[in-house]
Amino acid sequence: MADRYIEVSLVRRAITCTARLLDDRAPITCAAVWDALPLGGDVYHAKYARNEIYALFPPFAASEPPLENPTVTPIPGDLCYFAFAGAELGTKAYGYDREVRPGTTLVDLALFYERNNLLLNGDVGWVPGTVWGRITEGLEAMAEACNDLWRTGAAGETLSFRRAG
């Protein structure tokens, strides 16, 4: 299979980077994401994992992908996939209590833009994610935009994923 690429963007900030799908390491997750593209949603900056931005989506695969190519220490340029039960996120501690309801599932597509990340949640422990993509171009500009998002706020910003080309 030929390499597949996507564009990941912060829409309002007009910043885009390119990522290669890791079909050889996470084939089921890559297929699920690729088939669901384009995707976009409100962006959030992580509170616990450090240098991470992400968007939350309703499940989009026919069945939830298994954990593939797992990590608890993502590095700059990693794209990770997580699935969470609404009961895990639907609390005031996370800030999603108006949008997330118990009994639902959410998919979290995340971009890690700098070092020293640790996927350890005080409520549930280790939270391994599937590394399904790797930024190949534009990480430096995206990291600057992510730092701006951290400092000035995420309100009104969209994180989008679409096929490159």
Side-chain angles (χ1 to χ4, degrees):
M1 173 186 289
D3 286 342
R4 297 189 289 180
Y5 292 86
I6 63 169
E7 293 179 344
V8 183
S9 302
L10 287 170
V11 176
R12 194 179 79 198
R13 286 171 171 80
I15 299 294
T16 299
C17 58
T18 302
R20 181 178 60 82
L21 272 63
L22 301 178
D23 286 302
D24 58 329
R25 296 180 184 178
I28 297 168
T29 305
C30 288
V33 173
W34 184 261
D35 290 346
L37 295 177
L39 293 166
D42 291 342
V43 68
Y44 296 91
H45 195 287
K47 290 170 81 173
Y48 303 108
R50 293 187 117 182
N51 304 299
E52 171 194 4
I53 62 169
Y54 60 95
L56 301 172
F57 303 98
F60 45 76
S63 63
E64 190 57 41
L67 185 62
E68 303 177 287
N69 196 28
T71 191
V72 293
T73 56
I75 62 173
D78 279 351
L79 297 179
C80 290
Y81 178 106
F82 305 90
F84 294 107
E88 292 177 284
L89 296 181
T91 69
K92 291 183 188 255
Y94 297 106
Y96 314 118
D97 52 303
R98 290 181 303 236
E99 297 94 1
V100 179
R101 302 284 177 239
T104 61
T105 298
L106 288 174
V107 171
D108 170 336
L109 295 183
L111 180 155
F112 290 85
Y113 63 90
E114 188 50 78
R115 299 175 30 143
N116 298 322
N117 303 294
L118 187 62
L119 302 178
L120 180 60
N121 178 304
D123 294 334
V124 298
W126 296 105
V127 183
T130 293
V131 181
W132 61 274
R134 186 99 182 96
I135 305 289
T136 58
E137 294 178 31
L139 181 58
E140 187 174 321
M142 180 60 77
E144 287 179 25
C146 292
N147 275 315
D148 178 64
L149 188 120
W150 171 250
R151 302 275 299 149
T152 64
E157 183 62 89
T158 300
L159 180 62
S160 76
F161 301 83
R162 67 179 180 269
R163 294 178 185 184

